[in-house]
Amino acid sequence: MLAAAIAIGALAGFATSRTIGLFGFTERGLQPAPQALLSLIAETLTLLTVVAWQAFEVRRNRRTRPYHDATSRVRPDLRTMAPDR
């Protein structure tokens, strides 16, 4: 999640420097080329990768969690509940 926050911050700074300016710096378009374009692509890909990874983790956790409803009961494993001898 930290990677997503850093990518969002970098993209926000990129957009801000090209619109209203950031700390006195104002840039136009994708200059300097190709560094601006490469930065834009790298941060966007980072953000998309983190989002896809988190979506995969959520789906994986939903599949591995046992399903419980109001009428079902999970039977305890008697081997783990047996008293020590």
Side-chain angles (χ1 to χ4, degrees), residues 9-67:
L11 288 170
F14 186 87
T16 303
S17 71
R18 277 148 176 77
T19 54
I20 61 173
L22 183 65
F23 303 119
F25 294 102
T26 304
E27 300 173 310
R28 299 197 186 271
L30 292 177
Q31 296 300 323
Q35 293 88 351
L37 180 61
L38 292 175
S39 174
L40 188 62
I41 290 170
E43 297 302 334
T44 303
L45 286 177
T46 300
L47 190 58
L48 290 175
T49 302
V50 170
V51 167
W53 172 58
Q54 287 298 312
F56 174 77
E57 288 294 318
V58 167
R59 287 190 69 200
R60 186 174 69 128
N61 289 338
R62 285 185 184 165
R63 278 187 273 152
T64 59
R65 189 174 10 167
Y67 175 75

